[in-house]
Amino acid sequence: MTSSAKEPRLTIPTITTSQSTPQTPREQRKKKILFKCALTNTISDVLTNRDGWAQTQGDDWQFFWVTREWMTTCYDKHKFSEKQLICHFRNDFELTRKDFLIKNYKKARKVKEKSGVDVSQEFNFIPSSYVLPTEYHLFVEEFRKYPTDTIWIMKPVAGAQGKGIFLFRKLKHVQEWKKKDSTGSEALPYVVQSYISNPYLVGGKKFDVRIYVLVTSFRPMNAWVHREGFARFSHSRYSTDSVDDAFVHLTNVAVAKTAADYDPERGLKWSLPKLFRFFKSMHGQSKVSKTMNELAKVIIESLKSVQNLIIQDSHCFELYGYDILFDENLKPWLLEVNASPSLTASSQEDFELKYRVLNHMIDVLDVEKKLLGNENEIGGFDILVRNNKPVEICKVPRHTQPFFGAQFNLRLASRMQRILLLTFLLIPLHSTTTHTTESYFDSSEEAPNVLLNHLDGIDEEDLQEVNDTQPPFVPGSSKRLTEYLLSKHNLNAPPDGLLYVEYELELVHILGIDELKQTMTVLIYVDEHWIDPSLTWDPALFGGITKTWVPLDKIWVPDIIVFNMLAHEDLLSAVRAPARIYSNGTVVASHPAVHTVSCEINIRHFPLDDQRCAIEIASWAYGHEKIRLHAHTDHSLEHYKRNEEWHLLNLNVTEEKYEHEGIEVSEVKFEISVKRRPLFYMVTLTFPSYIMCAISVVGLFARFSTTGEREERFTLGVTAILTMAVLSLVVSEKVPHSSTHVPLLVAYFLFNMVIVSIAAMTTGIVMKVHRLGRYGDEPHEFWMKLFFLRPIFRNSNRRTYRMNPEEPTQVILVSETRNGGELQTKKTSELNGTAVKEVLLSSRLEALEEYIRKMVHRCETIKWELDEIDAAENIESVRRRSTNGYVRISERLDIVFMFFFLSTVTIPVVVLFYLS
């Protein structure tokens, strides 16, 4: 719009306020409310036209509508009187900046999850979001989990009017945000979110809803919600075919105005009551009531997520503009929260709406002190939260039904617009028919002049033209600013009042854990944020500089240390490490360091042990009433690098109080939980120990021989025991010399020593049983049955020879069994192979000599046969020993004990490997 364009002529609406009886001019002068207003839009009109209010230029005001610049430069210096009110909280950016909103939402979500709440159902009103570039690697991991056609949306953290927003499907497109502008400075941070690709459509168009929420106090929380609001529709019908068309996906009026076919007479906005009447007609009362409840929960939970972070001041209040998107299931999603949403009107209807909201807001604030304090509705505002408790049911006389504060039953405005709901649905985009009278008005947010551009569809010439309009830096401004800050700052004087220090510890690497000294050494990055009012400046006086750097030794720094620190190495000690200072007095001190802290090492389950080491952060001299620490964990593990010996389980952060030398200090404790990787100990100690025990057991009970005493088995057992003792000494040098617990690995070695010792003693019992069998003794039948053995009956052949009385030339071989078998005989061949003549004692003497010679030869033959018989008997004796009952029992004992002791030494090592 050019400067010659006609501005709409706005008429002050007639508003019924909470005033009861008219006052005389004298009473009005006596009770006049003085105000100041830094803006010249709707709020100025509201304040000027209120009865009994008058504008002042001095410091005797009671109500001041300030700007963001006043909050950063003058708030900390101003001394408020009892009745003064301003329109902002000191750090309302915790809720209104997109990156801080996501950070606090994630933190609250973790707290809910730890308390057992199903966050996917009960605390899920912001899409999956990441802040770039700090969470870029986390986003890449999340991106790869989604289908390839998933749509993501990028938003600048401090953007407005749809500037800088773009959609993408491929990861390479996100690199656009990394591009530098023409001045060479880095692009501002962005927020990337999973795009809600199934929004609720009205007439085929996407829309979001603006709801006004007034917070008068955070501790305790008191919040009000206004019944009036509006829904903003996109310019074109919704489709996911193209992600580059801003007219399809964005509902900002500033974006729609750039369309070639833009028609300001078309109604791209609906009032909030009209929208909910449409919902009710399409889905019924029960569905709409459920949506109301969910919408109220979104507002309440978002306020609770920052309740403990916002600096509470009874002189402050805040009017927030909530932007809500409904999906096709009427589930509300929070897009962003705006501080002091756009108060500049672009049409009569826009002016009347904002005039009513602001006028009712002042009624709620009760500057005139006319209210009782227990009202449930004031003007168009309904109570939502009172003293930290959601309001359940508030009876309102002029309404036929009760409305629910906590359930957020947005009632219809008193002025009922008589419009056909289906008119918006049935009129196509190209139609030239007259549209509804619901006016199209601009609701652009008030925001700082941030250089943000659409990354798609803008050429370098346009970008250069916009950059040329930015004011250049004035030479010498940085030097003048540094001299100015150091001249008014005293490095020995802390800031006045209570100081909140935001402390963030980023764990980079676990360098090691010394079990003997019971210490942990870690590499960390430390970020400390605090606000020092003596380091503020007006950027307009120093060439537009909003950030500078000053050495830490030139400014006051809180004495925050690690209480349980044993050694410390500041990696920037040789460098004049600067602190970043912003124009609002925010000081950011960052540095890397190597800390060695004391830990209580628990060696009971070594090497399958978990260890917990805490890094205790606190101020040494300043008590809780002066310095309070708040922990930030958004980037605690962003640059963490894994350790080969220790696996990081989690990093828990707690805020508590600690009494130190009679001083109660604010403490932040970062507890690092790690688990040892036991593979090294299992391979180098446990497995060799098992192999030695298994070989010893096999050697003690193996059946190599049934003769001899087998004394070498005892030698093998003693060798194995000595090996276990040496291994246990190796482990004892690794762990602390504790008398309360025995390490699991040492207990395993002791167990193996005991098992091998028992196995060696058991071998002596087996040898005793075996020796009884060698002497030819037989066990009782009971022992044979006990070991499931049956007796073996042996056939013992005893050979005897005698002359055949009938045939003197032959001998008979007699074989007789010992078990009572029958007598068996067998004829043998002739002894000499020739016929022996019958010789009688009375025969001739010459024949006697021949007979004697024959008999001698026969005796020699019999002797040879008897030697053969003795050899057979020796073989039979050996066979008889092997079938002896005691020998067989000893064999059975060897097998049983071998399997028993092998199982005994195998089961523990299998369990250890499984647990590792």
Side-chain angles (χ1 to χ4, degrees), residues 546-833:
T546 59
K547 179 176 66 174
T548 188
W549 291 262
V550 175
L552 280 174
D553 57 353
K554 301 296 183 181
I555 63 174
W556 179 87
V557 179
D559 61 338
I560 297 175
I561 64 170
V562 179
F563 262 51
N564 60 335
M565 176 180 61
L566 300 179
H568 169 254
E569 179 183 357
D570 190 349
L571 301 182
L572 296 181
S573 58
V575 183
R576 296 175 67 238
R580 298 194 306 273
I581 304 178
Y582 296 85
S583 59
N584 62 353
T586 300
V587 183
V588 180
S590 304
H591 66 275
V594 176
H595 284 289
T596 300
V597 297
S598 61
C599 300
E600 184 177 353
I601 303 297
N602 185 0
I603 63 170
R604 184 171 188 174
H605 300 101
F606 176 87
L608 306 178
D609 52 328
D610 299 345
Q611 303 297 341
R612 289 180 174 84
C613 292
I615 302 178
E616 302 172 1
I617 311 295
S619 171
W620 182 263
Y622 296 100
H624 184 265
E625 72 283 354
K626 180 60 181 177
I627 291 183
R628 294 186 185 178
L629 297 180
H630 291 291
H632 281 194
T633 60
D634 297 335
H635 314 295
S636 296
L637 299 176
E638 181 176 352
H639 298 95
Y640 177 74
K641 296 178 178 58
R642 67 190 298 267
N643 185 280
E644 289 298 325
E645 183 179 0
W646 297 95
H647 170 64
L648 180 63
L649 296 178
N650 53 53
L651 177 63
N652 294 327
V653 183
T654 57
E655 299 178 2
E656 54 189 31
K657 296 180 182 178
Y658 176 75
E659 186 172 351
H660 160 65
E661 294 185 354
I663 303 175
E664 192 177 54
V665 297
S666 175
E667 181 186 56
V668 175
K669 182 180 293 185
F670 293 83
E671 186 178 64
I672 304 173
S673 299
V674 293
K675 181 178 180 64
R676 192 189 303 270
R677 304 179 191 271
L679 182 61
F680 171 79
Y681 300 96
M682 301 301 294
V683 173
T684 59
L685 295 177
T686 305
F687 191 70
S689 173
Y690 167 71
I691 295 297
M692 179 61 66
C693 290
I695 293 176
S696 300
V697 170
V698 173
L700 288 171
F701 296 104
R703 300 292 297 175
F704 298 116
S705 173
T706 57
T707 61
E709 294 298 331
R710 303 193 293 180
E711 289 85 356
E712 71 281 358
R713 300 190 179 190
F714 288 99
T715 304
L716 182 61
V718 172
T719 303
I721 293 173
L722 292 176
T723 303
M724 298 298 105
V726 173
L727 292 177
S728 63
L729 290 177
V730 173
V731 177
S732 64
E733 294 177 357
K734 177 69 177 175
V735 299
H737 300 164
S738 173
S739 299
T740 57
H741 300 291
V742 177
L744 180 62
L745 192 56
V746 175
Y748 171 71
F749 291 150
L750 296 176
F751 174 79
N752 286 345
M753 294 171 62
V754 173
I755 293 300
V756 174
S757 301
I758 295 175
M761 290 185 289
T762 307
T763 301
I765 299 174
V766 176
M767 291 176 61
K768 176 63 176 178
V769 175
H770 184 271
R771 185 173 298 177
L772 293 176
R774 289 180 56 198
Y775 294 154
D777 297 336
E778 290 290 339
H780 192 272
E781 184 179 358
F782 168 77
W783 296 108
M784 298 294 289
K785 292 181 179 180
L786 181 62
F787 289 94
F788 303 100
L789 297 174
R790 297 176 60 185
I792 298 178
F793 297 98
R794 295 179 300 273
N795 293 328
S796 180
N797 297 327
R798 183 174 299 176
R799 298 181 180 182
T800 56
Y801 295 87
R802 64 190 179 99
M803 297 294 295
N804 190 350
E806 297 179 356
E807 296 291 339
T809 59
Q810 298 180 349
V811 293
I812 298 174
L813 178 60
V814 180
S815 179
E816 184 177 2
T817 60
R818 293 185 60 182
N819 55 5
E822 296 181 354
L823 186 66
Q824 300 177 357
T825 59
K826 181 179 179 181
K827 291 185 178 181
T828 61
S829 59
E830 294 183 356
L831 296 176
N832 51 11

Side-chain angles (χ1 to χ4, degrees), residues 341-395:
S342 176
L343 303 180
T344 302
S346 58
S347 67
Q348 182 64 33
E349 290 80 3
D350 182 17
F351 179 76
E352 291 180 3
L353 169 65
K354 295 176 180 178
Y355 194 100
R356 286 192 297 271
V357 172
L358 293 173
N359 201 64
H360 295 162
M361 175 197 71
I362 298 176
D363 291 340
V364 174
L365 297 176
D366 192 24
V367 182
E368 297 93 344
K369 303 300 179 183
K370 297 179 179 181
L371 302 178
L372 299 177
N374 59 350
E375 291 80 0
N376 294 319
E377 65 164 348
I378 301 175
F381 278 98
D382 296 328
I383 185 67
L384 184 65
V385 181
R386 175 183 284 132
N387 294 330
N388 293 327
K389 296 181 180 180
V391 178
E392 296 180 354
I393 299 180
C394 301
K395 301 281 187 177

